[in-house]
Amino acid sequence: MANTTLHSAKQNKQDEYYTQLADIENELKHYKEQLRGKVIFCNCDDPYESNFFKYFANNFNALGLKKLIATSYVKSPIVGGQLQLFDIEGLKPDGKEPYKIEINEVPDLNNDGAISLDDVEYLLKHDKNTATPLKGDGKYNAGDFRSNECVELLRQADVVITNPPFSLFREFVAQLIEYNKKFLIIGNKNATKYNVAFKLIKDNRCWLGYT
């Protein structure tokens, strides 16, 4: 049954299957003080399908974040399912182009006394500077974490938190080390055997998470 479910999730590109919100909450609850006042960059996370983005957007004020940045690479398979992309000024109506979202604050815009995705949705709809398209460069496609635009965003970040593409795991971690960034990433257990990860763990520069 589990294998059948996993196979189905892969076919349907349900990335949340791999990064469920409950798993993110269980791990990140241990780092609240370390995240306070920080710029968080989710550079492999389409905000319209990423539970990382959902977690940080919902808890932006509770965590005391300075800024949240998320970048998409391809059109989300559930676009419009949680946030209405079609209504966001500055993006194409079909939502095919990669984009970035930068959030500096999440006010209680609907005055219901709580911060939720409804407030994030209102912010995205009414602040055209929050969501902007990415263009890419001559070497990498728009939204690729290796592209010039995404590297510039990386320079701004204090902490990178995401689930990187498994096939590019070595290159992804190497980039974080090159730019001396703190990070919390989810990866396959086999990745700990890669030279780039194994050496970091051996040198006590990288650790396995709580969960």
Side-chain angles (χ1 to χ4, degrees), residues 8-24:
S8 175
K10 286 182 178 178
Q11 285 185 326
N12 294 323
K13 298 182 180 179
Q14 295 173 351
D15 290 338
E16 292 91 340
Y17 183 90
Y18 306 107
T19 53
Q20 298 181 52
L21 185 59
D23 293 332
I24 294 171

Side-chain angles (χ1 to χ4, degrees), residues 1-210:
M1 179 66 72
N3 287 338
T4 301
T5 303
L6 178 60
H7 182 66
S8 175
K10 286 182 178 178
Q11 285 185 326
N12 294 323
K13 298 182 180 179
Q14 295 173 351
D15 290 338
E16 292 91 340
Y17 183 90
Y18 306 107
T19 53
Q20 298 181 52
L21 185 59
D23 293 332
I24 294 171
E25 292 171 337
N26 287 336
E27 182 65 28
L28 288 174
K29 69 182 180 182
H30 299 285
Y31 308 96
K32 291 182 178 179
E33 288 305 312
Q34 291 91 333
L35 297 179
R36 188 168 301 278
K38 298 296 192 296
V39 177
I40 306 299
F41 186 20
C42 301
N43 58 349
C44 298
D45 296 273
D46 187 317
Y48 295 88
E49 64 181 63
S50 167
N51 279 321
F52 283 104
F53 179 81
K54 182 187 296 184
Y55 174 82
F56 286 118
N58 275 337
N59 294 281
F60 189 95
N61 295 336
L63 292 171
L65 300 182
K66 181 179 180 180
K67 179 187 283 190
L68 171 62
I69 309 171
T71 52
S72 75
Y73 181 67
V74 294
K75 180 181 178 182
S76 168
I78 59 171
V79 65
Q82 297 182 50
L83 303 177
Q84 299 301 315
L85 177 60
F86 305 113
D87 294 334
I88 298 176
E89 184 178 353
L91 296 183
K92 293 180 180 178
D94 58 10
K96 289 182 179 179
E97 61 187 41
Y99 56 92
K100 68 175 178 179
I101 285 181
E102 295 186 76
I103 294 178
N104 295 289
E105 63 175 342
V106 182
D108 182 13
L109 295 169
N110 58 9
N111 296 313
D112 65 351
I115 300 299
S116 68
L117 283 183
D118 291 336
D119 297 299
V120 179
E121 179 178 1
Y122 185 94
L123 183 67
L124 296 177
K125 286 182 178 179
H126 293 83
D127 185 349
K128 64 180 180 180
N129 295 317
T130 301
T132 55
L134 293 170
K135 299 177 181 178
D137 52 50
K139 186 174 182 181
Y140 297 110
N141 293 329
D144 190 306
F145 68 86
R146 299 163 295 183
S147 67
N148 291 334
E149 288 175 308
C150 288
V151 169
E152 285 304 309
L153 293 172
L154 178 65
R155 293 178 189 274
Q156 300 177 31
D158 296 308
V159 187
V160 174
I161 302 180
T162 190
N163 181 1
F166 181 63
S167 62
L168 297 173
F169 189 87
R170 296 178 181 86
E171 191 169 355
F172 185 83
V173 174
Q175 184 193 68
L176 296 177
I177 299 306
E178 177 185 355
Y179 288 92
N180 194 30
K181 295 300 177 180
K182 298 186 187 313
F183 59 88
L184 193 158
I185 56 177
I186 291 179
N188 189 293
K189 288 184 178 180
N190 291 330
T192 60
K193 301 176 182 178
Y194 295 164
N195 287 339
V196 64
F198 182 80
K199 189 176 188 306
L200 289 171
I201 295 173
K202 180 176 178 293
D203 293 344
N204 202 34
R205 296 175 61 196
C206 178
W207 308 270
L208 300 181
Y210 285 89

